[in-house]
Amino acid sequence: MAGTGETTMSHLPEEILTNVFSAVSDTRTRNALSLVCRSFRCLERRTRTSLTLRGNARDLHLIPTCFRYVTDLDLSLVSPWGHALFAASTSHQSDPQQLALELRNAFPRVTSLALYARSPVTLHLLLLIPWPNLRHVKLVRWHVRPPSSQPGTDFADLFHRCRSLTSLDLSSFYHWPEDLPPVLAANPIISASMRRLNLLTTSFTEGFKSHEIQQITASCPNLEHLLLACTFDARYLGYVGDETLTAIASNCPKLTLLHLGDTASLSNRRGDPNDSGFSDEDASISRATMVEFFSGLPLLEELVLDVCKNVRESCYALEVLNSKCPKLRTLGLRQFHGICLAIGSQLDGVALCQGLQSLSVTNCGDLNDMGLIEIGRGCSRLVKFHVQGCKLITEKGLRTLTCLLRKTLVDVKVSCCLNLETFAALRALEPIRDRIERLHVDCVWNGMKESDGLGQSLLNFDLNKLEDEQCVWEDFGSMDSEGTSQKKRQRCSYSPPPEEVEIDDSLMQSNGNGYWGSSWDKLKYLSLWIGVGDMLTPLPMAGLEDCPSLEEIKIRVEGDCRGKPKPSETEFGLSILACYPKLSKMQLDCGDTRGYALTAPSGQMDLSLWERFFLNGISTLSLDELDYWPPQDEDVNQRSLSLPAAGLLQECYTLRKLFIHEMRVGSCSRFEYALNRRRISD
């Protein structure tokens, strides 16, 4: 370029710079950009559309006023946490109405709002002058509704003043199911404009009853996304059965996403691998109703049915699902049996849903290896496959499925399957080891030994040579010594065309140590479940020692510390994670770990010592972000951070974000006060 002056980024036209700034999503990067020069600061402020406030909102002078282009505003984490945002305070003399007005004026373009609403007063004051284009609202509350509040008052101002409302998320809002239907019925115009409704609230014990679901869907006929917590147990009043499913399909035919979750499925706790997968009771859902239900929702793209009660003989209904819902891409089924019969060479059941990209199967009592092979043959576009609580599937079946889906599958979860402990599950995933990006396995170290085959002699057939009609079926049939006549017919009739099962010869070969690949090259997210008292240290030996791209890990520790002997080691094993060079985010969830918060009996450890055991070695990791759920003592209703845990977390010098969940309000206030007293340079 002619001339002596240097050309810098600031010389680019403003339109191009605006597009560049808009593409930057990382908050710290945006903050750095805003410090370059005044013009960059103005561009950054104009292109920032999302903001989360975490300071003390009662300090009016601290409310930022330069983010006037923000459209997505999160006020659910403002302090003082646990108190109503506009409650009176002795330490702050600000007028609640003035504070609400300041927030409203500081962010005039808000279209999406997340808000911690401890009482109805919060919404009432904040919406005195409502945002004209507010379309999406997420309410957060983890406390019981104030006893002075009448049913429905939490939502009255929202529906009365937000005339553009189309989306409401109550998944994190503690309320009663009977609060919402009357408000929807009383505001027919707003209800008719609703497009998204998330009522999958984890605080429910019984969920929405049948008549309430019918009222909600009748009031909101144009819903496109609907997520509901309910109960399918016929022993309870208001259970969901044939009548409710028919009403949903007839009232809301435009649904593209539907998630019906039994309240029993909302618990995070792992089941028993020895369970058969069958519950004691059957759901009151007939095959004819399922066919009618699927036929009435032709636009479905995502369907999740967490029933938790037996839905038997579902094969035919799932075949109808394929023809009646051609746009379906995501399917989740819990307690559905007979989803894939695997009789003969013809595909059936869920295997006919050939457009699926995501499939989750939980507690399917009769799903076996042959069913997995059918799914692999039929659902050839699967990107995500989750299987949980299926007792009959084995390493051989899962490995064959991953061979068949090698070109597409990048997200896998294997949990609570009796025959798929950690080593077996990881061996089964070797065909996609160099491709998988997200993985969950249970840390069950049963049968760990040096001489484990680690991939050798697991498949005695070549899927490229399936012209021999009996090769696959004889191999799988050999697992059943009884060999029924039905299985013999299966072995003789299966002869798929070679193009259906095109697999590289290299996939059937193991390298010298039993593995097909040297590392998990693309694995970015790893999720682990581990029982309390077990160690994390065998993880590299299981085959996860080389994950060069791993950025985030989630570890969930579950079980009862009471009665457990004192661990022989001083460390749970977090230090072994230092072998992952890019690991920067961790979720350590000990929320389902129970123990003694106060003095423990002789010979046992209290929760403070268990926390020390869990967190020892965390300082060796270069973490940027940590989410931590402390263990709890349910008997005294106590869950909080202990002093040993606080000392160990203090040694994590690289942390930029620290989230401690389930802290008491008093503990949180003291922590915030101590933090504010310290001057933090960066």
Side-chain angles (χ1 to χ4, degrees):
M1 181 179 293
T4 58
E6 293 185 358
T7 301
T8 65
M9 187 174 176
S10 59
H11 290 94
L12 291 173
E14 185 172 318
E15 293 78 6
I16 296 178
L17 282 176
T18 299
N19 291 333
V20 172
F21 277 53
S22 299
V24 178
S25 58
D26 181 67
T27 302
R28 289 181 58 78
T29 303
R30 296 191 68 95
N31 292 342
L33 284 172
S34 67
L35 298 176
V36 173
C37 60
R38 184 171 298 178
S39 62
F40 272 34
R41 179 182 182 275
C42 293
L43 275 174
E44 195 282 325
R45 295 299 187 257
R46 283 212 308 269
T47 58
R48 184 178 295 215
T49 59
S50 178
L51 186 68
T52 299
L53 293 184
R54 290 189 174 91
N56 195 325
R58 294 176 183 175
D59 294 323
L60 292 179
H61 66 283
L62 294 180
I63 296 178
T65 58
C66 56
F67 298 99
R68 303 187 64 81
Y69 289 86
V70 164
T71 58
D72 188 349
L73 179 63
D74 188 346
L75 299 177
S76 63
L77 298 174
V78 293
S79 61
W81 183 87
H83 296 281
L85 178 61
F86 304 123
S89 172
T90 56
S91 59
H92 293 78
Q93 303 301 322
S94 58
D95 177 28
Q97 188 167 341
Q98 179 64 25
L99 172 57
L101 185 61
E102 288 288 339
L103 285 171
R104 167 64 179 80
N105 292 335
F107 308 100
R109 292 177 171 83
V110 170
T111 61
S112 176
L113 175 69
L115 178 68
Y116 183 88
R118 179 72 185 262
S119 70
V121 176
T122 302
L123 270 176
H124 176 75
L125 292 176
L126 195 60
L127 297 178
L128 283 176
I129 305 178
W131 285 280
N133 297 315
L134 184 62
R135 294 189 293 272
H136 171 73
V137 173
K138 177 179 181 179
L139 299 182
V140 178
R141 181 170 70 193
W142 301 111
H143 302 81
V144 179
R145 183 181 65 194
S148 58
S149 299
Q150 297 298 317
T153 54
D154 287 316
F155 315 116
D157 284 295
L158 183 64
F159 280 85
H160 179 65
R161 297 179 179 176
C162 298
R163 313 310 295 178
S164 301
L165 189 67
T166 60
S167 175
L168 178 62
D169 186 347
L170 301 180
S171 58
S172 301
F173 188 71
Y174 196 115
H175 64 287
W176 302 108
E178 60 268 21
D179 289 349
L180 185 61
V183 178
L184 291 173
N187 297 271
I189 298 178
I190 302 300
S191 299
S193 66
M194 294 294 292
R195 297 294 183 269
R196 302 188 177 196
L197 200 55
N198 188 345
L199 305 178
L200 205 63
T201 310
T202 56
S203 62
F204 287 157
T205 56
E206 296 182 10
F208 287 92
K209 296 194 168 36
S210 175
H211 68 277
E212 293 167 343
I213 295 174
Q214 294 182 46
Q215 291 176 17
I216 291 171
T217 54
S219 300
C220 307
N222 295 309
L223 281 178
E224 297 174 358
H225 290 192
L226 176 61
L227 299 90
L228 273 169
C230 55
T231 180
F232 291 90
D233 193 337
R235 296 173 297 179
Y236 288 84
L237 293 175
Y239 70 90
V240 172
D242 290 343
E243 181 183 358
T244 313
L245 294 183
T246 304
I248 292 174
S250 63
N251 291 338
C252 302
K254 299 179 182 179
L255 284 174
T256 60
L257 183 153
L258 177 61
H259 186 155
L260 299 179
D262 192 289
T263 51
S265 70
L266 302 180
S267 171
N268 236 356
R269 294 184 180 177
R270 182 175 182 261
D272 183 358
N274 292 300
D275 284 347
S276 64
F278 292 90
S279 61
D280 296 334
E281 304 287 336
D282 289 354
S284 294
I285 302 175
S286 65
R287 187 172 71 173
T289 297
M290 281 196 291
V291 171
E292 182 182 356
F293 177 62
F294 297 149
S295 301
L297 299 172
L299 302 179
L300 269 184
E301 299 176 7
E302 181 173 344
L303 174 64
V304 180
L305 298 174
D306 285 329
V307 178
C308 292
K309 297 297 174 184
N310 298 322
V311 180
R312 302 180 186 270
E313 301 178 356
S314 59
C315 181
Y316 175 71
L318 293 176
E319 293 177 0
V320 173
L321 176 63
N322 172 61
S323 60
K324 299 298 183 182
C325 304
K327 297 183 178 181
L328 190 67
R329 297 294 177 265
T330 301
L331 178 63
L333 302 172
R334 181 186 291 264
Q335 223 80 38
F336 277 67
H337 308 295
I339 65 171
C340 199
L341 299 180
I343 299 176
S345 62
Q346 299 299 319
L347 299 177
D348 58 45
V350 72
L352 287 176
C353 298
Q354 299 180 358
L356 282 182
Q357 297 177 0
S358 173
L359 176 62
S360 176
V361 180
T362 303
N363 294 346
C364 181
D366 54 5
L367 180 65
N368 55 19
D369 289 340
M370 303 314 306
L372 285 185
I373 292 181
E374 278 216 5
I375 291 172
R377 289 176 55 218
C379 305
S380 58
R381 301 179 183 177
L382 278 184
V383 174
K384 175 179 177 181
F385 180 68
H386 290 185
V387 60
Q388 183 172 349
C390 297
K391 185 178 180 179
L392 300 181
I393 64 175
T394 68
E395 177 182 344
K396 189 172 294 187
L398 182 60
R399 187 167 189 156
T400 309
L401 177 134
T402 57
C403 285
L404 294 166
L405 299 175
R406 171 171 165 76
K407 294 183 178 180
T408 60
L409 195 60
V410 297
D411 185 341
V412 178
K413 175 179 180 179
V414 182
S415 178
C416 202
C417 296
L418 182 64
N419 298 310
L420 288 170
E421 41 80 26
T422 312
F423 286 82
L426 294 177
R427 287 195 301 262
L429 297 176
E430 285 174 1
I432 58 172
R433 191 177 185 184
D434 59 336
R435 297 171 180 258
I436 190 169
E437 299 176 4
R438 297 176 65 87
L439 171 65
H440 171 93
V441 291
D442 294 344
C443 294
V444 181
W445 312 121
N446 297 341
M448 180 181 67
K449 50 188 178 182
E450 295 281 341
S451 59
D452 211 354
L454 294 178
Q456 299 177 8
S457 303
L458 288 171
L459 290 176
N460 300 323
F461 56 88
D462 187 342
L463 290 179
N464 286 320
K465 298 179 180 179
L466 287 179
E467 297 91 327
D468 181 0
E469 297 176 351
Q470 299 183 6
C471 60
V472 176
W473 300 99
E474 286 177 354
D475 182 80
F476 280 91
S478 64
M479 294 186 295
D480 188 351
S481 59
E482 297 180 1
T484 62
S485 59
Q486 182 183 22
K487 290 186 177 180
K488 291 180 181 178
R489 289 196 300 271
Q490 293 174 357
R491 291 198 295 269
C492 295
S493 61
Y494 178 56
S495 180
E499 61 270 14
E500 284 190 15
V501 284
E502 179 184 350
I503 296 182
D504 298 336
D505 288 333
S506 60
L507 293 182
M508 313 320 304
Q509 303 295 328
S510 167
N511 63 21
N513 62 1
Y515 290 109
W516 282 337
S518 59
S519 68
W520 304 77
D521 293 331
K522 296 183 179 180
L523 185 65
K524 296 182 179 180
Y525 174 85
L526 176 63
S527 174
L528 304 170
W529 175 95
I530 188 167
V532 67
D534 289 339
M535 307 292 293
L536 197 61
T537 46
L539 189 64
M541 191 187 307
L544 282 168
E545 75 283 359
D546 192 2
C547 304
S549 302
L550 186 64
E551 300 174 353
E552 182 176 356
I553 189 168
K554 178 179 181 180
I555 303 172
R556 191 160 71 88
V557 186
E558 182 181 332
D560 199 336
C561 299
R562 297 169 293 190
K564 291 284 184 181
K566 182 178 179 180
S568 57
E569 304 290 336
T570 60
E571 181 185 335
F572 171 53
L574 290 183
S575 60
I576 67 163
L577 304 179
C579 66
Y580 305 133
K582 291 188 177 181
L583 184 64
S584 60
K585 295 182 181 181
M586 175 187 288
Q587 298 180 46
L588 182 57
D589 186 355
C590 301
D592 287 321
T593 301
R594 301 173 299 283
Y596 297 104
L598 306 176
T599 305
S602 177
Q604 298 191 31
M605 301 195 309
D606 60 26
L607 285 182
S608 65
L609 297 180
W610 278 105
E611 277 198 279
R612 176 182 292 172
F613 169 72
F614 292 138
L615 290 171
N616 257 333
I618 196 171
S619 60
T620 62
L621 308 179
S622 299
L623 296 177
D624 293 335
E625 184 174 323
L626 174 64
D627 281 68
Y628 177 58
W629 287 259
Q632 63 176 318
D633 187 337
E634 293 178 334
D635 294 339
V636 297
N637 191 27
Q638 182 169 336
R639 173 185 293 169
S640 59
L641 194 69
S642 64
L643 287 177
L648 291 168
L649 292 177
Q650 187 182 14
E651 297 177 359
C652 300
Y653 300 114
T654 60
L655 276 182
R656 307 301 312 178
K657 295 181 181 180
L658 174 61
F659 300 93
I660 302 176
H661 300 261
E662 302 291 344
M663 289 183 66
R664 293 177 177 271
V665 175
S667 301
C668 185
S669 299
R670 289 193 297 271
F671 177 80
E672 185 181 58
Y673 176 70
L675 192 65
N676 289 336
R677 286 190 305 168
R678 297 179 58 186
R679 181 174 180 81
I680 301 175
S681 58
D682 184 9

